[in-house]
Amino acid sequence: MSLKFKMLAALGFALSATLISACGPDGSASKQTPTAVTVAGQTMGTFYNITIPGDYPGGSAQLKQDAEAQFAQVIDAISTFDKQSEISRFNQRKNSEPMQVSTYLAHVIEEVNRQSLRIGGATEISIGPLVNLWGFGTDGRPNKVPTEQQIQAAHNYVGMDKYAVRYIGGVAFLEKRDPRVQLDLSTVGEGLGADLVANYLDSKHIGNYLVSIAGAIRTKGLNPSGKPWRVGIVNPVNPDGQPFAVVCPHQEAMSTAGSYRNYFVDKATGKRYSHIIDPQTGHPIDHHTVSVTVIGRNALVTDALDTGLMVLGADKALAWGDAQETPIYVIEMQDGKPVGRYNRYFEKYLKCDTQAAE
């Protein structure tokens, strides 16, 4: 989900979620914002926004420095645009020799794969060759839509069986089973950043905060008005306007994947191609689901799930959420209009009149 988005007034707009920190009952901005330390900036190709009611030791300058130190850990591990990151150095290798990696990166890969298996492999971090082939990676846009032969060639070295995490004497190693393997963890970058900042703030005993990096959100406590934090799911038809739905995460993580911002249109046919690629087919998704929101225990988990659930589509995503007792909210385009649906586990998060989940 590494996409750029606009900052609109004092509200932090994410890819598919927008912060509404001090709002009225209808989600509109209040006229006066109580005292809070708020910082905003850019990281991982997108924007972040952090709000802490009251004071923060060292003020906004220190908060910005602390947050960006956490983001640097993520970039050093998984950035495909930083040639010195662990994942970039791994991708550049042309052999199958194990490469020593940080325990942090190894654990991230294992967790993402664990969540992918829960949804039938719909999230796949070895999809890098297909991402590049379709023009959504570091190689830039293609001149034309890839041929089936090109897609199949790239698809031949995509899959969990093409790489492995191993431990030798407590040291983590990552190895390719095929030298052409390219890993891409960008789908969970924002979630990792949100988790690291939230964990850091917890270690500093900060009792109230909201961390937003693109579509990944972590909240704790109450907003500057002493109310539950309110987060909006963006309207895919008008991304910079009023939110489609207002959600109270109730101190849990929330992330949203959307297919309506990052795409290209084939000049020859006029067909639109989404950046979200189905690892089973090698093609971009081609259905009416444009947004999937997940709430869970941490942003790495929700970020690992939301893109895969986008691949599955609204009906399967909601059915999976019911079976796994996981809160899911989907938006589909029907007759040119966005229509939202959610499962029963999500319902309590649409009620913002209580300070904690029942």
Side-chain angles (χ1 to χ4, degrees):
M1 296 188 299
S2 297
L3 305 175
K4 293 185 178 179
F5 61 96
K6 293 182 178 179
M7 297 297 291
L8 186 62
L11 302 181
F13 271 72
L15 176 137
S16 295
T18 175
L19 162 64
I20 311 173
S21 59
C23 301
D26 61 351
S28 59
S30 60
K31 292 183 179 180
Q32 294 184 339
T33 302
T35 302
V37 177
T38 299
V39 297
Q42 299 183 45
T43 186
M44 293 179 276
T46 190
F47 290 82
Y48 71 87
N49 185 294
I50 303 168
T51 300
I52 296 176
D55 297 321
Y56 183 82
S60 59
Q62 187 62 51
L63 176 58
K64 188 177 183 68
Q65 180 178 320
D66 292 343
E68 294 189 352
Q70 305 307 310
F71 301 151
Q73 295 184 50
V74 179
I75 293 168
D76 289 346
I78 73 163
S79 173
T80 56
F81 292 91
D82 181 352
K83 299 303 181 184
Q84 298 305 312
S85 74
E86 291 186 88
I87 211 70
S88 287
R89 289 187 286 110
F90 177 77
N91 286 343
Q92 292 164 24
R93 293 166 71 93
K94 304 301 181 184
N95 57 59
S96 299
E97 292 296 318
M99 172 182 153
Q100 184 176 339
V101 296
S102 64
T103 303
Y104 176 71
L105 176 59
H107 287 174
V108 167
I109 291 172
E110 291 174 319
E111 182 61 34
V112 173
N113 286 346
R114 186 159 37 245
Q115 298 305 321
S116 178
L117 290 172
R118 294 178 65 199
I119 52 177
T123 297
E124 177 49 62
I125 66 171
S126 64
I127 204 168
L130 287 167
V131 171
N132 282 323
L133 182 65
W134 282 97
F136 296 105
T138 57
D139 294 347
R141 290 282 188 265
N143 293 324
K144 58 183 179 181
V145 173
T147 65
E148 285 301 319
Q149 184 177 10
Q150 290 174 313
I151 294 169
Q152 186 55 51
H155 198 264
N156 285 336
Y157 42 99
V158 172
M160 289 186 193
D161 60 329
K162 302 299 191 299
Y163 62 93
V165 173
R166 294 197 293 124
Y167 295 89
I168 302 175
V171 178
F173 291 86
L174 184 59
E175 65 181 17
K176 301 182 180 186
R177 302 282 170 77
D178 186 311
R180 298 168 297 180
V181 167
Q182 302 278 298
L183 301 186
D184 187 341
L185 284 155
S186 60
T187 189
V188 296
E190 288 88 0
L192 290 171
D195 281 342
L196 283 181
V197 172
N199 294 342
Y200 179 81
L201 295 177
D202 288 343
S203 75
K204 302 282 284 185
H205 307 292
I206 304 298
N208 303 286
Y209 59 73
L210 185 145
V211 180
S212 168
I213 309 176
I217 307 290
R218 283 287 302 270
T219 67
K220 185 176 183 180
L222 303 174
N223 72 14
S225 296
K227 306 285 187 180
W229 292 102
R230 301 165 68 86
V231 176
I233 299 174
V234 164
N235 186 331
V237 173
N238 184 18
D240 296 330
Q242 290 296 312
F244 187 84
V246 176
V247 180
C248 284
H250 293 309
Q251 315 208 45
E252 295 190 60
M254 170 176 155
S255 64
T256 301
S259 65
Y260 49 85
R261 283 191 187 267
N262 195 10
Y263 60 89
F264 76 88
V265 177
D266 181 20
K267 294 180 180 178
T269 64
K271 184 174 180 178
R272 172 172 154 164
Y273 291 91
S274 168
H275 76 291
I276 297 178
I277 297 172
D278 185 340
Q280 306 300 323
T281 67
H283 287 259
I285 59 172
D286 188 20
H287 52 57
H288 299 296
T289 304
V290 293
S291 173
V292 174
T293 298
V294 184
I295 291 177
R297 57 187 172 86
N298 62 52
L300 170 56
V301 169
T302 59
D303 228 1
L305 290 171
D306 60 8
T307 301
L309 293 172
M310 272 289 299
V311 169
L312 296 182
D315 290 340
K316 291 181 179 179
L318 291 170
W320 180 87
D322 286 340
Q324 297 291 319
E325 300 184 359
T326 300
I328 305 291
Y329 191 108
V330 302
I331 301 177
E332 303 167 276
M333 296 303 296
Q334 297 181 10
D335 298 324
K337 297 180 180 180
V339 176
R341 289 194 286 153
Y342 52 90
N343 64 2
R344 62 191 180 95
Y345 298 102
F346 202 97
E347 187 172 359
K348 66 184 179 183
Y349 299 98
L350 297 172
K351 300 175 181 178
C352 292
D353 55 349
T354 57
Q355 294 186 3
E358 295 297 332

